[in-house]
Amino acid sequence: QQQVKQSPQSLIVQKGGIPIINCAYENTAFDYFPWYQQFPGKGPALLIAIRPDVSEKKEGRFTISFNKSAKQFSLHIMDSQPGDSATYFCAASKIRGFGNEKLTFGTGTRLTIIP
Amino acid sequence: DAGVTQSPTHLIKTRGQQVTLRCSPISGHKSVSWYQQVLGQGPQFIFQYYEKEERGRGNFPDRFSARQFPNYSSELNVNALLLGDSALYLCASSLGSGSEQYFGPGTRLTVT
């Protein structure tokens, strides 16, 4: 059962544009939602994360918007650059105490920023 | 500060063989998790260890096992390798208190 659905599968945006990647989750017990960036041949790098007590979080050019009632969250990248071209994964987990932090990942979005 | 390190970087094994992958967490992190990432997909959770105890197990067969050592490093073992075990194996570390997980570069396992 896929618990985190991610769209689109791929996205091409011109430099300076604002790519938006969307995720939807099913498990209402999830209470932590990170986004990861992965370059070919590398491990995922944590970009930004949000908890459901806020509706938006910004860190630099990256913004997460969170809609608890719709069980959806999205990543926006402001002033996108060719160096942002990578695969982006959303994830979710339920924090169940110390050392119990299983992440459930979406299927990924391959983002290409063209000059 | 050094990030999560994994060894080896690449590995080629034959069906039926056994493999051991190693992970060293970020200094101060007591939790280590293992994920399998098949090409074109998101990582899938295999195990989490905290303070040397297994705290979570994903939907993987008993051929997969892991352990965590007193210095918080960890090993993932896979027995009786199948072609479908070919993947990038990722290790992530965290403080363990509901905090962020940081991933290593992964070990690329190819089973022929």
Side-chain angles (χ1 to χ4, degrees):
Chain A
Q1 180 186 9
Q2 182 186 1
Q3 297 190 49
V4 180
K5 295 182 179 180
Q6 183 171 346
S7 63
Q9 188 173 8
S10 63
L11 186 58
I12 300 174
V13 174
Q14 277 205 310
K15 176 184 174 182
I18 305 176
I20 301 173
I21 304 171
N22 301 297
C23 283
Y25 62 97
E26 300 169 1
N27 188 345
T28 55
F30 285 147
D31 55 8
Y32 173 69
F33 303 90
W35 284 89
Y36 285 86
Q37 177 191 58
Q38 186 174 31
F39 293 104
K42 305 293 185 182
L46 180 63
L47 273 178
I48 185 173
I50 197 168
R51 297 189 189 268
D53 52 342
V54 296
S55 61
E56 186 176 277
K57 183 175 181 180
K58 293 182 180 181
E59 285 187 4
R61 296 185 295 111
F62 300 96
T63 299
I64 298 179
S65 297
F66 184 82
N67 186 329
K68 187 174 181 178
S69 61
K71 293 187 289 184
Q72 295 175 348
F73 58 109
S74 59
L75 176 70
H76 302 229
I77 305 175
M78 306 302 174
D79 187 28
S80 57
Q81 302 295 316
D84 296 329
S85 298
T87 299
Y88 292 79
F89 291 96
C90 62
S93 73
K94 180 185 185 310
I95 307 302
R96 290 168 289 198
F98 273 70
N100 203 332
E101 304 158 325
K102 166 190 172 182
L103 285 170
T104 299
F105 282 84
T107 50
T109 296
R110 179 173 290 185
L111 174 65
T112 303
I113 307 297
I114 54 177
Chain B
D1 288 342
V4 177
T5 59
Q6 293 186 243
S7 63
T9 304
H10 296 91
L11 205 51
I12 299 175
K13 289 287 188 178
T14 304
R15 276 177 297 175
Q17 286 188 316
Q18 175 264 342
V19 67
T20 298
L21 311 180
R22 295 175 177 82
C23 171
S24 292
I26 293 170
S27 177
H29 284 191
K30 298 182 178 181
S31 176
V32 169
S33 298
W34 288 95
Y35 291 80
Q36 180 196 65
Q37 186 177 24
V38 173
L39 195 63
Q41 298 183 18
Q44 296 290 316
F45 173 78
I46 309 175
F47 286 111
Q48 181 170 18
Y49 278 77
Y50 177 75
E51 289 283 16
K52 303 179 286 297
E53 291 186 1
E54 182 183 304
R55 292 299 184 96
R57 174 184 285 254
N59 188 24
F60 281 81
D62 291 343
R63 299 184 295 109
F64 289 76
S65 63
R67 54 180 175 169
Q68 186 177 33
F69 299 98
N71 66 354
Y72 302 110
S73 67
S74 177
E75 286 182 351
L76 175 70
N77 295 283
V78 187
N79 294 321
L81 286 167
L82 303 174
L83 294 179
D85 295 330
S86 295
L88 181 68
Y89 287 85
L90 296 163
C91 172
S93 79
S94 69
L95 291 170
S97 54
S99 57
E100 295 83 0
Q101 293 191 40
Y102 297 92
F103 284 83
T107 294
R108 172 71 63 187
L109 172 65
T110 301
V111 182
T112 62

